[in-house]
Every structure is written in structure tokens, then in C-alpha cells.
Amino acid sequence: MKSRTIIGFLIIMMLGSCAQHQSKTEHQNEKTTNSKADFNSGLKIENRINRGTNYTDPQGIDYSIRNIPITITNDSTIPIHLQIAFSTEYSYPLPENKEHFKLIPLPKEWALDGWGVTESMLDELPKLIEKPSLTVKLEAGEELLLSIGSLYSRPTKTSGVLPRTLFVQNDGKSFPECESLMQEELSSNQQIPMGLKIIIGERCMLIPCGSIAYLKN
């Protein structure tokens, strides 16, 4: 009888110890979860469906424009400095590298639903083509609506250029089938590079196009 009493006492002690350990673990997990919720880092990018129009520049040269509406949201709790910048011109991939195209950030008018391309929007294009860049500060939770467009000769001798996906560098690993012009390492000031996936015929390329940086409050 005495032996049974001792065994029962030991079982009660073990159950109590397990319950205490479980409660401590749940408290630590809850603390960790709350800590993650306090700093929700990231940039949410919504890429939508391509649109297109034709354009004749002031010199009378005909082009096609294909653009993709994009919504960028600062999904963190601190401000973000966003820069989108393209080179003034790009070459088609080999063997058609004698042909060229341009990539340009376009204002929100190009991304609005239910709106067509107006003459005033086309009149602004030469200025946007000359300086294909955009710099903006996004506060926590703030959204930016814009479009990114490609500009290439019409009719094209090869194929069209379709902007498809704006992404942050780490997300570029999701496109292993694409020829990448992205650099692997981050810059010394810890800016996070951004890229643009484009479709050219049956091929795709990843083009570096700017960076984001988190700002101190």
C-alpha cells in the first residue's frame, strides 16, 4: 500500500511539472508571436494584367507601348524609400541584340481602371522617356499606384516586350527560367534591389530597376 502511495505521488509531481513546462512554452510562443507582429516588414506588390496602346513620337516614329498596372503597399511599420530607375535603352537578347527597347515608369493615370489613354497622357511621354525614374517615400501602410511600360518599334522586327512582374530581389529566385541581369549581392548601404520580369517572345529576362530602403523614424 505504501508503495502504491509513493508511485501515485510521483505521477502527480510529473504531471504538474509537464503542465508548468507547457504553460511556460506557450507563454514564450505568445511573446515571440507578439514580437513579430510589432514589426511587420515587407513591401506588398500587386502586378495586374498588361495593357497596350500605340504611340507616335514628335519625330513621327511609330511605337507600341505595353504597360502593367502595379499597386505597391508599404506593409511594414516604418517608412520606406522607394526608387525605380531604368536605363535609357535596352538591347534585345541574342541573336536579335541589334534591336532596342525602352522601359519607363508611368504615373497612376496609366494604371486606373475604366480610363483610356488620353492625348494629354501621350503628350507627357517624351519627358517620361527622357528620364525613366521615380523616387518616392512611402509611409507605413501607404499605397502607390503606378504603371511600368515598355516602348518598342512598330511594327517590330522581332517580338513585343511585355512587362510582367515587378519584384524585390529575393523574389527573383521564383523565376529560374529567366535570363537574369540582377546582381547577387546587396549594396553596402543595405538597400534591397528591385527587378522587373519582362517577356520577349518565348523568353524572359530579369531587369534590375531600383531599390527599397527602410528609413529610421
Side-chain angles (χ1 to χ4, degrees):
M1 186 73 178
K2 184 176 180 181
S3 175
R4 292 180 179 177
T5 302
I6 294 173
I7 293 174
F9 178 74
L10 290 174
I11 291 174
I12 293 173
M13 290 290 291
M14 291 174 64
L15 291 174
S17 176
C18 289
Q20 184 178 7
H21 177 74
Q22 182 179 3
S23 175
K24 184 177 179 181
T25 301
E26 289 176 351
H27 176 71
Q28 289 176 340
N29 289 340
E30 181 181 359
K31 185 176 180 181
T32 301
T33 302
N34 290 339
S35 176
K36 289 181 179 179
D38 288 340
F39 184 79
N40 180 24
S41 63
L43 196 70
K44 181 180 176 182
I45 302 176
E46 179 187 357
N47 298 281
R48 304 213 297 274
I49 299 174
N50 284 103
R51 303 174 180 179
T53 189
N54 296 326
Y55 168 66
T56 302
D57 72 8
Q59 287 72 43
I61 302 174
D62 294 328
Y63 294 94
S64 292
I65 298 176
R66 297 294 180 265
N67 65 293
I68 180 171
I70 300 170
T71 302
I72 300 175
T73 305
N74 180 355
D75 203 23
S76 74
T77 57
I78 57 177
I80 289 178
H81 179 269
L82 168 68
Q83 181 183 40
I84 297 177
F86 294 100
S87 298
T88 55
E89 193 172 66
Y90 296 90
S91 297
Y92 275 74
L94 293 172
E96 294 89 8
N97 60 320
K98 292 183 180 180
E99 299 296 318
H100 301 90
F101 63 92
K102 298 177 183 291
L103 296 169
I104 47 176
L106 298 167
K108 66 178 182 179
E109 288 80 11
W110 290 81
L112 293 174
D113 293 329
W115 288 68
V117 178
T118 65
E119 288 296 327
S120 61
M121 292 165 62
L122 294 176
D123 289 342
E124 291 292 317
L125 272 178
K127 180 175 63 177
L128 299 173
I129 294 170
E130 183 179 353
K131 188 179 180 181
S133 63
L134 168 70
T135 301
V136 65
K137 176 183 176 183
L138 290 179
E139 298 293 343
E142 186 177 0
E143 288 187 353
L144 173 67
L145 181 62
L146 76 155
S147 194
I148 291 181
S150 62
L151 186 76
Y152 55 92
S153 298
R154 179 171 60 90
T156 176
K157 296 180 182 179
T158 53
S159 60
V161 179
L162 300 179
R164 183 56 58 85
T165 307
L166 180 70
F167 62 90
V168 177
Q169 185 184 49
N170 291 340
D171 298 329
K173 297 177 182 179
S174 302
F175 314 117
E177 74 282 4
C178 297
E179 176 185 348
S180 179
L181 303 181
M182 304 285 294
Q183 295 181 352
E184 293 295 330
E185 297 181 0
L186 301 180
S187 59
S188 58
N189 56 3
Q190 295 303 304
Q191 290 182 338
I192 304 175
M194 299 183 70
L196 178 71
K197 175 184 176 181
I198 62 173
I199 304 296
I200 303 177
E202 297 182 355
R203 305 168 66 177
C204 61
M205 296 178 65
L206 306 182
I207 306 290
C209 66
S211 63
I212 62 172
Y214 294 96
L215 304 177
K216 295 181 179 180
N217 288 322

